[in-house]
Amino acid sequence: MNLDDFRRCTPAEFSVIYRFWLQHNERNVQNDWEQTRFLACCMLQPYSKKKLSPTDVCRFSWERKREQEAKKEVSTKERFEEIAKKWG
């Protein structure tokens, strides 16, 4: 962002821009770490008696968050009807 664009931004606009910039940088860092883990897995595979997956080498905190989000119960029509009956 050049200086003129920065000066024209409202605080709310700058906040949104900063949030997206931060997410972009986090994704780049995560991508770099995942590439490194993949290379480590490839280098360790010949010395392992079992087939390795990259997650066997190491797990990252952002993967744990994804797993927890995936475990959340998905809303279904039956679940909605059950809750509707319960709460009237």
Side-chain angles (χ1 to χ4, degrees):
M1 172 183 294
N2 63 33
L3 188 58
D4 289 335
D5 290 340
F6 174 73
R7 287 180 180 157
R8 283 188 226 130
C9 280
T10 65
E13 290 171 336
F14 182 77
S15 176
V16 171
I17 293 168
Y18 175 72
R19 197 171 336 121
F20 280 103
W21 176 82
L22 190 60
Q23 289 174 353
H24 175 74
N25 283 345
E26 286 176 359
R27 279 192 299 251
N28 285 342
V29 168
Q30 290 174 1
N31 188 38
D32 291 345
W33 276 108
E34 288 177 5
Q35 289 175 0
T36 303
R37 176 177 63 181
F38 178 76
L39 289 172
C41 181
C42 291
M43 289 188 300
L44 293 172
Q45 187 61 58
Y47 304 101
S48 176
K49 292 181 181 179
K50 66 173 191 154
K51 182 166 174 46
L52 292 177
S53 70
T55 55
D56 292 335
V57 175
C58 68
R59 280 198 126 83
F60 299 121
S61 59
W62 59 84
E63 291 173 326
R64 290 189 191 109
K65 290 178 187 175
R66 285 185 210 144
E67 289 172 0
Q68 290 171 352
E69 290 173 1
K71 288 181 183 178
K72 290 181 182 176
E73 194 172 313
V74 177
S75 193
T76 61
K77 185 176 180 179
E78 292 82 18
R79 178 79 174 132
F80 176 78
E81 291 170 355
E82 177 186 328
I83 293 171
K85 286 179 186 177
K86 183 176 181 180
W87 294 100

Coordinates of all heavy atoms in Angstrom, one line a residue:
M1 N 0.9 -1.2 0.0 CA 0.0 0.0 0.0 C 0.9 1.2 0.0 O 1.8 1.3 0.8 CB -0.9 0.0 1.2 CG -1.7 1.2 1.5 SD -2.7 1.2 3.0 CE -3.9 0.0 2.6
N2 N 0.6 2.1 -0.9 CA 1.4 3.3 -0.9 C 0.9 4.3 0.1 O -0.2 4.2 0.7 CB 1.5 3.9 -2.3 CG 0.2 4.4 -2.9 OD1 -0.7 4.8 -2.1 ND2 0.0 4.2 -4.2
L3 N 1.7 5.4 0.3 CA 1.4 6.4 1.4 C 0.0 7.1 1.1 O -0.7 7.3 2.0 CB 2.5 7.4 1.5 CG 2.4 8.3 2.7 CD1 2.3 7.6 4.0 CD2 3.6 9.2 2.7
D4 N -0.2 7.4 -0.1 CA -1.5 8.1 -0.4 C -2.7 7.2 -0.1 O -3.7 7.7 0.4 CB -1.5 8.5 -1.9 CG -0.6 9.7 -2.2 OD1 -0.3 10.4 -1.3 OD2 -0.2 9.8 -3.4
D5 N -2.6 5.9 -0.5 CA -3.7 5.0 -0.2 C -3.9 4.9 1.3 O -5.0 4.8 1.8 CB -3.5 3.6 -0.8 CG -3.6 3.6 -2.3 OD1 -4.2 4.5 -2.8 OD2 -3.0 2.7 -2.9
F6 N -2.8 4.8 2.0 CA -2.9 4.7 3.5 C -3.6 6.0 4.1 O -4.4 5.8 5.0 CB -1.5 4.6 4.1 CG -1.5 4.6 5.6 CD1 -1.9 3.5 6.3 CD2 -1.0 5.7 6.3 CE1 -1.9 3.6 7.7 CE2 -1.0 5.8 7.6 CZ -1.4 4.7 8.4
R7 N -3.2 7.1 3.6 CA -3.8 8.3 4.1 C -5.3 8.4 3.8 O -6.0 9.1 4.6 CB -3.1 9.6 3.5 CG -1.7 9.8 4.1 CD -1.1 11.0 3.5 NE 0.3 11.1 4.0 CZ 1.3 11.8 3.4 NH1 1.0 12.3 2.2 NH2 2.4 11.9 3.9
R8 N -5.8 7.9 2.7 CA -7.2 7.9 2.4 C -8.0 6.9 3.1 O -9.2 6.9 3.1 CB -7.3 7.7 0.9 CG -7.0 9.0 0.1 CD -7.3 8.8 -1.4 NE -6.2 9.3 -2.1 CZ -5.6 8.6 -3.1 NH1 -6.0 7.5 -3.5 NH2 -4.5 9.2 -3.7
C9 N -7.4 5.9 3.7 CA -8.1 4.8 4.4 C -8.8 5.3 5.7 O -8.2 6.1 6.5 CB -7.2 3.7 4.8 SG -6.8 2.6 3.5
T10 N -10.0 4.8 5.9 CA -10.6 5.0 7.2 C -10.1 4.0 8.2 O -9.5 2.9 7.7 CB -12.1 4.9 7.1 OG1 -12.5 3.6 6.8 CG2 -12.7 5.9 6.2
P11 N -10.2 4.1 9.5 CA -9.7 3.0 10.4 C -10.4 1.7 10.1 O -9.7 0.7 10.1 CB -10.1 3.6 11.7 CG -10.0 5.1 11.6 CD -10.6 5.3 10.2
A12 N -11.7 1.7 9.7 CA -12.3 0.4 9.4 C -11.8 -0.2 8.2 O -11.6 -1.4 8.1 CB -13.8 0.7 9.3
E13 N -11.5 0.6 7.1 CA -10.9 0.1 5.9 C -9.5 -0.5 6.2 O -9.2 -1.6 5.7 CB -10.9 1.2 4.8 CG -12.2 1.6 4.3 CD -12.1 2.8 3.4 OE1 -11.2 3.6 3.6 OE2 -13.0 3.0 2.6
F14 N -8.8 0.2 6.9 CA -7.4 -0.2 7.2 C -7.5 -1.5 8.0 O -6.6 -2.4 7.8 CB -6.6 0.8 8.0 CG -5.2 0.4 8.3 CD1 -4.3 0.5 7.3 CD2 -4.9 -0.1 9.6 CE1 -3.0 0.0 7.6 CE2 -3.6 -0.5 9.8 CZ -2.6 -0.4 8.8
S15 N -8.4 -1.6 8.9 CA -8.5 -2.9 9.7 C -8.8 -4.1 8.8 O -8.2 -5.1 9.0 CB -9.7 -2.7 10.7 OG -9.9 -3.9 11.5
V16 N -9.7 -3.9 7.9 CA -10.0 -5.0 6.9 C -8.8 -5.4 6.1 O -8.5 -6.5 5.9 CB -11.2 -4.6 6.0 CG1 -11.4 -5.6 4.9 CG2 -12.5 -4.5 6.9
I17 N -8.1 -4.4 5.6 CA -6.9 -4.6 4.8 C -5.9 -5.3 5.6 O -5.2 -6.3 5.1 CB -6.4 -3.3 4.2 CG1 -7.3 -2.7 3.2 CG2 -5.0 -3.4 3.6 CD1 -7.1 -1.2 2.8
Y18 N -5.6 -4.9 6.8 CA -4.6 -5.5 7.7 C -5.0 -6.9 8.0 O -4.1 -7.8 7.9 CB -4.5 -4.7 9.0 CG -3.6 -5.3 9.9 CD1 -2.2 -5.3 9.7 CD2 -4.0 -6.0 11.1 CE1 -1.3 -6.0 10.6 CE2 -3.2 -6.6 12.0 CZ -1.8 -6.6 11.7 OH -1.0 -7.2 12.6
R19 N -6.3 -7.2 8.2 CA -6.7 -8.6 8.5 C -6.4 -9.5 7.4 O -5.9 -10.6 7.6 CB -8.2 -8.6 8.9 CG -8.6 -9.8 9.6 CD -10.0 -9.8 10.1 NE -10.5 -8.4 10.4 CZ -11.6 -7.9 9.8 NH1 -12.3 -8.6 9.0 NH2 -12.0 -6.7 10.1
F20 N -6.7 -9.1 6.1 CA -6.5 -9.9 5.0 C -5.0 -10.0 4.7 O -4.5 -11.1 4.3 CB -7.2 -9.3 3.7 CG -8.6 -9.7 3.7 CD1 -9.6 -8.8 4.0 CD2 -9.0 -11.0 3.3 CE1 -10.9 -9.1 3.9 CE2 -10.3 -11.3 3.3 CZ -11.3 -10.4 3.6
W21 N -4.2 -9.0 4.9 CA -2.8 -9.1 4.8 C -2.2 -10.1 5.8 O -1.3 -10.9 5.4 CB -2.1 -7.7 5.0 CG -0.6 -7.7 5.0 CD1 0.2 -7.7 3.9 CD2 0.2 -7.7 6.1 NE1 1.5 -7.7 4.2 CE2 1.6 -7.7 5.6 CE3 0.0 -7.8 7.5 CZ2 2.7 -7.8 6.5 CZ3 1.1 -7.8 8.3 CH2 2.4 -7.8 7.8
L22 N -2.7 -10.1 7.0 CA -2.2 -11.0 8.1 C -2.6 -12.4 7.7 O -1.7 -13.3 7.8 CB -2.8 -10.6 9.4 CG -2.3 -11.3 10.6 CD1 -0.8 -11.0 10.8 CD2 -3.0 -10.8 11.9
Q23 N -3.8 -12.7 7.2 CA -4.2 -14.0 6.8 C -3.3 -14.5 5.7 O -2.9 -15.7 5.6 CB -5.7 -14.0 6.4 CG -6.6 -13.9 7.5 CD -8.1 -13.7 7.1 OE1 -8.3 -13.6 5.9 NE2 -9.0 -13.7 8.0
H24 N -3.0 -13.6 4.7 CA -2.2 -14.0 3.6 C -0.8 -14.4 4.1 O -0.3 -15.5 3.6 CB -2.1 -12.8 2.6 CG -1.1 -13.1 1.5 ND1 -1.5 -13.9 0.4 CD2 0.1 -12.6 1.2 CE1 -0.4 -13.9 -0.4 NE2 0.5 -13.1 0.0
N25 N -0.2 -13.7 5.0 CA 1.1 -14.0 5.5 C 1.1 -15.3 6.3 O 2.0 -16.2 6.2 CB 1.7 -12.9 6.4 CG 2.2 -11.8 5.6 OD1 2.4 -11.9 4.4 ND2 2.4 -10.6 6.2
E26 N 0.0 -15.6 7.1 CA -0.1 -16.8 7.8 C -0.2 -18.0 6.9 O 0.4 -19.0 7.2 CB -1.4 -16.8 8.7 CG -1.2 -15.9 10.0 CD -2.4 -15.8 10.8 OE1 -3.5 -16.4 10.4 OE2 -2.4 -15.1 11.8
R27 N -1.0 -17.9 5.8 CA -1.1 -19.0 4.8 C 0.3 -19.2 4.2 O 0.6 -20.4 4.0 CB -2.1 -18.6 3.8 CG -3.5 -18.9 4.2 CD -4.4 -18.8 3.0 NE -4.4 -17.5 2.4 CZ -5.3 -16.6 2.5 NH1 -6.5 -16.9 3.1 NH2 -5.2 -15.4 2.0
N28 N 1.1 -18.2 3.9 CA 2.4 -18.4 3.4 C 3.3 -19.1 4.3 O 4.1 -20.0 3.9 CB 3.0 -17.1 3.0 CG 2.4 -16.5 1.7 OD1 1.8 -17.2 0.9 ND2 2.6 -15.2 1.5
V29 N 3.3 -18.8 5.6 CA 4.1 -19.4 6.6 C 3.7 -20.9 6.7 O 4.5 -21.8 6.8 CB 4.0 -18.7 7.9 CG1 4.6 -19.5 9.1 CG2 4.7 -17.4 7.8
Q30 N 2.3 -21.1 6.8 CA 1.8 -22.5 6.9 C 2.3 -23.3 5.7 O 2.7 -24.5 5.8 CB 0.3 -22.5 7.0 CG -0.2 -22.0 8.3 CD -1.7 -21.9 8.4 OE1 -2.4 -22.2 7.4 NE2 -2.2 -21.4 9.5
N31 N 2.2 -22.8 4.5 CA 2.6 -23.5 3.3 C 4.1 -23.8 3.4 O 4.5 -25.0 3.0 CB 2.3 -22.6 2.1 CG 2.6 -23.3 0.8 OD1 2.3 -24.5 0.7 ND2 3.1 -22.6 -0.2
D32 N 4.9 -22.9 3.8 CA 6.4 -23.2 3.9 C 6.6 -24.4 4.9 O 7.4 -25.3 4.6 CB 7.1 -22.0 4.4 CG 7.2 -20.9 3.3 OD1 6.9 -21.2 2.2 OD2 7.5 -19.7 3.7
W33 N 5.9 -24.4 6.1 CA 6.1 -25.4 7.0 C 5.6 -26.8 6.5 O 6.2 -27.8 6.8 CB 5.4 -25.1 8.3 CG 6.2 -24.2 9.2 CD1 6.1 -22.9 9.5 CD2 7.4 -24.7 9.9 NE1 7.1 -22.5 10.3 CE2 7.9 -23.5 10.6 CE3 8.1 -25.8 10.0 CZ2 9.1 -23.6 11.4 CZ3 9.3 -25.9 10.8 CH2 9.7 -24.8 11.5
E34 N 4.5 -26.8 5.8 CA 4.0 -28.0 5.2 C 4.9 -28.6 4.1 O 5.1 -29.8 4.0 CB 2.6 -27.8 4.7 CG 1.6 -27.6 5.8 CD 0.2 -27.3 5.3 OE1 -0.1 -27.3 4.1 OE2 -0.7 -27.1 6.2
Q35 N 5.5 -27.7 3.4 CA 6.5 -28.2 2.4 C 7.7 -28.8 3.1 O 8.2 -29.8 2.7 CB 7.0 -27.0 1.5 CG 5.9 -26.5 0.5 CD 6.4 -25.3 -0.2 OE1 7.5 -24.8 -0.1 NE2 5.6 -24.8 -1.1
T36 N 8.2 -28.2 4.2 CA 9.3 -28.7 4.9 C 9.0 -30.0 5.5 O 9.8 -31.0 5.5 CB 9.7 -27.7 6.0 OG1 10.0 -26.4 5.4 CG2 10.9 -28.2 6.8
R37 N 7.8 -30.2 6.1 CA 7.3 -31.5 6.6 C 7.3 -32.5 5.6 O 7.7 -33.7 5.8 CB 6.0 -31.3 7.3 CG 5.4 -32.6 7.9 CD 4.1 -32.4 8.6 NE 3.1 -32.0 7.7 CZ 1.9 -31.7 8.0 NH1 1.5 -31.8 9.3 NH2 1.0 -31.3 7.2
F38 N 6.8 -32.2 4.4 CA 6.7 -33.2 3.3 C 8.1 -33.6 2.9 O 8.4 -34.8 2.7 CB 6.0 -32.6 2.1 CG 6.0 -33.5 0.9 CD1 5.1 -34.5 0.9 CD2 6.8 -33.3 -0.2 CE1 5.0 -35.4 -0.2 CE2 6.8 -34.2 -1.2 CZ 5.9 -35.2 -1.3
L39 N 9.1 -32.7 2.8 CA 10.5 -33.1 2.5 C 11.0 -34.0 3.6 O 11.7 -35.0 3.3 CB 11.3 -31.9 2.3 CG 11.1 -31.1 1.1 CD1 11.8 -29.8 1.1 CD2 11.4 -31.9 -0.2
A40 N 10.8 -33.7 4.9 CA 11.3 -34.5 6.0 C 10.7 -35.9 5.9 O 11.4 -36.9 6.1 CB 10.9 -33.9 7.3
C41 N 9.4 -36.0 5.5 CA 8.7 -37.3 5.4 C 9.4 -38.1 4.3 O 9.6 -39.3 4.4 CB 7.2 -37.1 5.1 SG 6.3 -38.6 4.9
C42 N 9.7 -37.5 3.2 CA 10.3 -38.1 2.0 C 11.7 -38.6 2.4 O 12.1 -39.7 2.0 CB 10.4 -37.2 0.8 SG 8.8 -36.8 0.1
M43 N 12.4 -37.9 3.2 CA 13.8 -38.3 3.6 C 13.8 -39.4 4.6 O 14.7 -40.2 4.7 CB 14.6 -37.1 4.2 CG 14.9 -36.1 3.1 SD 16.0 -34.8 3.6 CE 15.1 -34.0 4.9
L44 N 12.7 -39.4 5.5 CA 12.6 -40.5 6.5 C 12.0 -41.8 6.0 O 12.3 -42.8 6.6 CB 11.8 -40.0 7.7 CG 12.4 -38.8 8.5 CD1 11.4 -38.3 9.5 CD2 13.7 -39.3 9.2
Q45 N 11.3 -41.7 4.9 CA 10.5 -42.9 4.5 C 11.5 -44.1 4.2 O 11.1 -45.2 4.6 CB 9.8 -42.6 3.2 CG 8.9 -43.7 2.7 CD 7.8 -44.1 3.7 OE1 7.0 -43.2 4.1 NE2 7.8 -45.3 4.1
P46 N 12.6 -44.0 3.6 CA 13.4 -45.2 3.3 C 13.9 -45.9 4.6 O 14.2 -47.0 4.6 CB 14.7 -44.6 2.6 CG 14.2 -43.3 2.0 CD 13.2 -42.8 2.9
Y47 N 13.9 -45.2 5.7 CA 14.4 -45.7 7.0 C 13.3 -46.2 7.9 O 13.5 -46.7 9.0 CB 15.2 -44.7 7.8 CG 16.4 -44.1 6.9 CD1 16.3 -42.9 6.3 CD2 17.5 -44.9 6.7 CE1 17.3 -42.4 5.5 CE2 18.6 -44.4 6.0 CZ 18.5 -43.2 5.4 OH 19.5 -42.7 4.6
S48 N 12.1 -46.1 7.4 CA 10.9 -46.5 8.2 C 10.4 -47.9 7.7 O 10.4 -48.2 6.5 CB 9.8 -45.5 8.1 OG 8.7 -45.9 8.8
K49 N 9.9 -48.7 8.6 CA 9.4 -50.0 8.2 C 8.0 -49.9 7.8 O 7.5 -50.8 7.1 CB 9.5 -51.0 9.4 CG 10.9 -51.3 9.8 CD 11.0 -52.3 10.9 CE 12.5 -52.6 11.2 NZ 12.6 -53.5 12.3
K50 N 7.3 -48.9 8.2 CA 5.9 -48.6 7.8 C 5.8 -47.4 6.9 O 6.7 -46.6 6.8 CB 5.0 -48.5 9.0 CG 5.2 -47.2 9.8 CD 4.1 -47.1 10.8 CE 4.3 -45.7 11.4 NZ 3.1 -45.2 12.0
K51 N 4.7 -47.3 6.2 CA 4.5 -46.2 5.3 C 4.2 -44.9 6.1 O 3.3 -44.9 7.0 CB 3.4 -46.4 4.3 CG 3.2 -45.3 3.3 CD 2.3 -45.8 2.2 CE 1.9 -44.7 1.3 NZ 2.9 -43.8 0.8
L52 N 5.0 -43.9 5.9 CA 4.8 -42.6 6.7 C 3.9 -41.7 5.9 O 4.0 -41.6 4.7 CB 6.2 -42.0 6.9 CG 7.1 -42.6 7.9 CD1 8.4 -41.8 7.9 CD2 6.6 -42.8 9.3
S53 N 3.2 -40.9 6.7 CA 2.4 -39.8 6.1 C 3.0 -38.5 6.7 O 3.7 -38.6 7.8 CB 0.9 -39.9 6.4 OG 0.7 -39.6 7.7
P54 N 2.9 -37.4 6.0 CA 3.4 -36.2 6.6 C 3.0 -35.9 8.0 O 3.7 -35.3 8.8 CB 3.0 -35.1 5.6 CG 2.8 -35.8 4.3 CD 2.3 -37.2 4.7
T55 N 1.7 -36.2 8.4 CA 1.3 -36.0 9.7 C 1.9 -36.9 10.8 O 1.9 -36.6 11.9 CB -0.3 -36.1 9.8 OG1 -0.7 -37.4 9.3 CG2 -0.9 -35.0 9.0
D56 N 2.5 -38.0 10.3 CA 3.3 -38.9 11.2 C 4.6 -38.2 11.6 O 5.1 -38.4 12.7 CB 3.6 -40.2 10.6 CG 2.4 -41.0 10.3 OD1 1.4 -40.9 11.0 OD2 2.5 -41.9 9.4
V57 N 5.1 -37.3 10.8 CA 6.4 -36.6 11.1 C 6.1 -35.5 12.2 O 6.8 -35.5 13.2 CB 7.0 -36.0 9.8 CG1 8.2 -35.2 10.2 CG2 7.3 -37.1 8.8
C58 N 5.1 -34.7 11.9 CA 4.7 -33.7 12.9 C 3.3 -33.2 12.6 O 2.9 -33.2 11.5 CB 5.7 -32.6 13.1 SG 5.8 -31.5 11.6
R59 N 2.6 -32.7 13.6 CA 1.3 -32.0 13.5 C 1.4 -30.6 13.9 O 2.1 -30.2 14.8 CB 0.3 -32.7 14.4 CG -0.2 -34.0 13.9 CD -1.5 -34.3 14.6 NE -2.6 -34.6 13.7 CZ -2.8 -35.7 13.2 NH1 -2.0 -36.7 13.4 NH2 -3.9 -35.9 12.4
F60 N 0.7 -29.8 13.1 CA 0.7 -28.3 13.4 C -0.5 -27.9 14.1 O -1.6 -28.5 14.0 CB 0.9 -27.6 12.1 CG 2.1 -27.9 11.3 CD1 2.1 -28.4 10.0 CD2 3.4 -27.7 11.9 CE1 3.2 -28.7 9.4 CE2 4.5 -28.0 11.2 CZ 4.5 -28.5 9.9
S61 N -0.4 -26.8 14.8 CA -1.5 -26.3 15.6 C -2.7 -25.9 14.7 O -3.9 -26.1 15.1 CB -1.1 -25.0 16.4 OG -0.6 -24.0 15.6
W62 N -2.5 -25.4 13.5 CA -3.6 -25.1 12.7 C -4.4 -26.3 12.2 O -5.5 -26.2 11.9 CB -3.2 -24.2 11.5 CG -2.2 -24.8 10.6 CD1 -2.4 -25.6 9.5 CD2 -0.8 -24.5 10.6 NE1 -1.2 -25.9 8.9 CE2 -0.2 -25.3 9.6 CE3 0.1 -23.8 11.5 CZ2 1.2 -25.3 9.3 CZ3 1.4 -23.8 11.2 CH2 2.0 -24.6 10.2
E63 N -3.7 -27.5 12.1 CA -4.4 -28.7 11.7 C -5.3 -29.2 12.9 O -6.3 -29.7 12.6 CB -3.3 -29.8 11.4 CG -2.6 -29.5 10.1 CD -1.5 -30.4 9.9 OE1 -0.8 -30.9 10.8 OE2 -1.2 -30.7 8.7
R64 N -4.8 -29.0 14.1 CA -5.7 -29.4 15.2 C -7.0 -28.6 15.2 O -8.0 -29.1 15.5 CB -4.9 -29.2 16.5 CG -3.8 -30.2 16.7 CD -3.2 -30.1 18.1 NE -2.0 -30.9 18.1 CZ -0.8 -30.4 18.2 NH1 -0.6 -29.1 18.3 NH2 0.3 -31.2 18.2
K65 N -6.8 -27.3 14.9 CA -8.0 -26.4 14.9 C -9.0 -26.9 13.8 O -10.2 -26.9 14.0 CB -7.6 -25.0 14.6 CG -6.9 -24.3 15.8 CD -6.5 -22.9 15.4 CE -5.6 -22.3 16.5 NZ -5.1 -21.0 16.2
R66 N -8.4 -27.3 12.6 CA -9.3 -27.8 11.5 C -10.0 -29.1 11.9 O -11.2 -29.3 11.6 CB -8.5 -28.0 10.3 CG -8.0 -26.8 9.6 CD -7.3 -27.2 8.3 NE -6.4 -26.1 7.9 CZ -5.2 -26.4 7.4 NH1 -4.8 -27.6 7.0 NH2 -4.4 -25.4 7.1
E67 N -9.3 -29.9 12.6 CA -9.9 -31.2 13.1 C -11.0 -31.0 14.1 O -12.0 -31.6 14.0 CB -8.8 -32.1 13.7 CG -7.8 -32.7 12.7 CD -6.7 -33.4 13.4 OE1 -6.6 -33.4 14.6 OE2 -5.8 -33.9 12.7
Q68 N -10.8 -30.0 15.0 CA -11.8 -29.7 15.9 C -13.1 -29.1 15.3 O -14.2 -29.4 15.6 CB -11.3 -28.7 17.0 CG -10.3 -29.4 17.9 CD -9.6 -28.3 18.8 OE1 -9.8 -27.1 18.7 NE2 -8.9 -28.8 19.8
E69 N -12.8 -28.3 14.3 CA -14.0 -27.7 13.5 C -14.7 -28.8 12.7 O -15.9 -28.7 12.6 CB -13.5 -26.6 12.6 CG -13.0 -25.3 13.3 CD -12.4 -24.3 12.4 OE1 -12.3 -24.6 11.1 OE2 -11.9 -23.3 12.9
A70 N -14.0 -29.7 12.2 CA -14.6 -30.8 11.4 C -15.4 -31.7 12.3 O -16.4 -32.3 11.9 CB -13.5 -31.6 10.7
K71 N -15.1 -31.8 13.6 CA -15.8 -32.7 14.5 C -17.1 -32.1 15.0 O -18.0 -32.8 15.5 CB -14.9 -33.0 15.7 CG -13.8 -33.9 15.5 CD -13.0 -34.2 16.7 CE -11.8 -35.1 16.4 NZ -11.0 -35.3 17.6
K72 N -17.3 -30.8 14.8 CA -18.5 -30.1 15.2 C -19.7 -30.8 14.4 O -19.6 -31.1 13.2 CB -18.5 -28.6 14.9 CG -17.5 -27.9 15.8 CD -17.6 -26.4 15.5 CE -16.6 -25.7 16.4 NZ -16.5 -24.3 16.1
E73 N -20.8 -30.9 15.1 CA -22.0 -31.6 14.6 C -22.6 -30.8 13.4 O -22.8 -29.6 13.6 CB -23.0 -31.8 15.7 CG -24.1 -32.8 15.3 CD -24.9 -33.1 16.5 OE1 -24.4 -33.3 17.6 OE2 -26.2 -33.0 16.4
V74 N -22.8 -31.4 12.3 CA -23.4 -30.8 11.2 C -24.9 -30.8 11.3 O -25.5 -31.8 11.7 CB -23.0 -31.5 9.9 CG1 -23.7 -30.9 8.7 CG2 -21.5 -31.5 9.7
S75 N -25.5 -29.6 11.1 CA -26.9 -29.5 11.3 C -27.7 -30.2 10.2 O -27.3 -30.1 9.0 CB -27.3 -28.0 11.3 OG -28.6 -27.9 11.8
T76 N -28.7 -31.0 10.5 CA -29.5 -31.7 9.6 C -31.0 -31.4 9.8 O -31.3 -30.8 10.8 CB -29.3 -33.2 9.7 OG1 -29.8 -33.6 11.0 CG2 -27.9 -33.7 9.5
K77 N -31.8 -31.7 8.8 CA -33.2 -31.5 9.0 C -33.8 -32.2 10.2 O -34.6 -31.7 10.9 CB -33.9 -31.9 7.7 CG -35.4 -31.5 7.7 CD -36.0 -31.9 6.4 CE -37.5 -31.5 6.4 NZ -38.2 -31.7 5.2
E78 N -33.3 -33.5 10.4 CA -33.8 -34.2 11.5 C -33.4 -33.6 12.8 O -34.2 -33.5 13.8 CB -33.3 -35.7 11.5 CG -33.8 -36.5 10.3 CD -33.1 -36.2 9.0 OE1 -32.0 -35.7 9.0 OE2 -33.6 -36.6 8.0
R79 N -32.2 -33.1 12.9 CA -31.8 -32.4 14.1 C -32.6 -31.1 14.4 O -32.9 -30.8 15.5 CB -30.3 -32.1 14.0 CG -29.7 -31.3 15.1 CD -29.4 -32.3 16.3 NE -28.7 -31.5 17.3 CZ -29.0 -31.5 18.6 NH1 -29.9 -32.3 19.0 NH2 -28.3 -30.8 19.4
F80 N -32.9 -30.4 13.3 CA -33.7 -29.2 13.4 C -35.1 -29.5 14.0 O -35.6 -28.9 14.8 CB -33.8 -28.5 12.1 CG -34.7 -27.3 12.1 CD1 -34.3 -26.1 12.6 CD2 -36.0 -27.4 11.6 CE1 -35.1 -25.0 12.6 CE2 -36.8 -26.3 11.6 CZ -36.4 -25.1 12.1
E81 N -35.7 -30.6 13.4 CA -37.0 -31.0 13.9 C -37.0 -31.5 15.3 O -37.9 -31.2 16.1 CB -37.6 -32.1 13.0 CG -37.9 -31.6 11.6 CD -38.2 -32.7 10.6 OE1 -38.1 -33.9 10.9 OE2 -38.6 -32.4 9.4
E82 N -35.9 -32.1 15.7 CA -35.8 -32.6 17.1 C -35.7 -31.4 18.0 O -36.4 -31.4 19.1 CB -34.5 -33.4 17.2 CG -34.2 -33.9 18.6 CD -32.9 -34.6 18.7 OE1 -32.5 -35.3 17.7 OE2 -32.2 -34.5 19.7
I83 N -34.9 -30.4 17.7 CA -34.8 -29.2 18.5 C -36.1 -28.4 18.5 O -36.5 -27.9 19.5 CB -33.6 -28.3 18.0 CG1 -32.3 -29.1 18.2 CG2 -33.6 -27.0 18.7 CD1 -31.1 -28.4 17.6
A84 N -36.8 -28.4 17.4 CA -38.1 -27.6 17.3 C -39.1 -28.3 18.2 O -39.9 -27.6 18.9 CB -38.6 -27.6 15.8
K85 N -39.2 -29.6 18.2 CA -40.1 -30.3 19.1 C -39.8 -30.1 20.6 O -40.6 -29.9 21.4 CB -40.1 -31.8 18.9 CG -40.7 -32.3 17.6 CD -40.6 -33.7 17.4 CE -41.2 -34.2 16.1 NZ -41.0 -35.6 15.9
K86 N -38.5 -30.0 20.9 CA -38.0 -29.9 22.3 C -38.4 -28.5 22.8 O -38.8 -28.3 23.9 CB -36.5 -30.1 22.4 CG -36.0 -30.0 23.7 CD -34.5 -30.4 23.8 CE -33.9 -30.3 25.2 NZ -32.5 -30.6 25.2
W87 N -38.2 -27.5 21.9 CA -38.3 -26.1 22.4 C -39.7 -25.5 21.9 O -39.9 -24.3 22.1 CB -37.2 -25.2 21.9 CG -35.9 -25.6 22.5 CD1 -34.9 -26.4 22.0 CD2 -35.5 -25.3 23.9 NE1 -33.9 -26.6 22.9 CE2 -34.2 -26.0 24.1 CE3 -36.0 -24.6 24.9 CZ2 -33.5 -25.9 25.3 CZ3 -35.3 -24.5 26.1 CH2 -34.1 -25.1 26.3
G88 N -40.5 -26.3 21.3 CA -41.8 -25.9 21.0 C -42.2 -25.2 19.8 O -43.0 -24.5 19.5

